[in-house]
Amino acid sequence: MLRDLDGAVVGHLAAIVEHFWSPFSPLTWQECVWLLVTWTDGEGEPIIEDYPPWTAVDEVRMGQIEVERMSTGISGTFSVEWLEGSERDAAWTRCGIKEPAGYYLGGYHL
């Protein structure tokens, strides 16, 4: 869950690890983390792809993420609060990563 500076819930952050093969490292699988922001009004941002050295992942691990909202052009830093159990499952059903990365690259609406 994402909260603004006043503590209000403004959206959700979904994260998933994907493995892929690259012609630049043909003998090893590589990892990528996809981070997907979905605002409470249903609007979504383009997916954030993170690779080693994991700058976005480190930011999230510290409990925050900076995101620019495409529709307004306004960027901000939001606190990240991880959900658990049934609350997490319900949020994943609504806002989780269900499509290939290309679907999210240009932003989307739920």
Side-chain angles (χ1 to χ4, degrees), residues 42-63:
E43 186 175 331
E45 298 302 326
I47 202 161
I48 300 165
E49 295 181 68
D50 198 20
Y51 303 90
W54 308 117
T55 51
V57 169
D58 286 345
E59 190 177 353
V60 170
R61 284 182 175 156
M62 291 187 306

Side-chain angles (χ1 to χ4, degrees), residues 13-93:
L13 177 69
I16 193 168
V17 177
E18 288 289 324
H19 293 86
F20 66 95
W21 175 86
S22 167
F24 301 108
S25 296
L27 301 177
T28 61
W29 283 97
Q30 296 181 4
E31 288 184 328
C32 169
V33 173
W34 291 356
L35 300 169
L36 179 66
V37 172
T38 304
W39 305 109
T40 53
D41 65 5
E43 186 175 331
E45 298 302 326
I47 202 161
I48 300 165
E49 295 181 68
D50 198 20
Y51 303 90
W54 308 117
T55 51
V57 169
D58 286 345
E59 190 177 353
V60 170
R61 284 182 175 156
M62 291 187 306
Q64 64 183 24
I65 188 167
E66 186 173 335
V67 179
E68 180 178 350
R69 187 155 187 180
M70 283 181 48
S71 63
T72 64
I74 298 172
S75 64
T77 300
F78 303 93
S79 65
V80 176
E81 179 181 319
W82 295 106
L83 302 175
E84 296 182 11
S86 61
E87 192 176 15
R88 179 197 59 222
D89 296 342
W92 186 265
T93 299

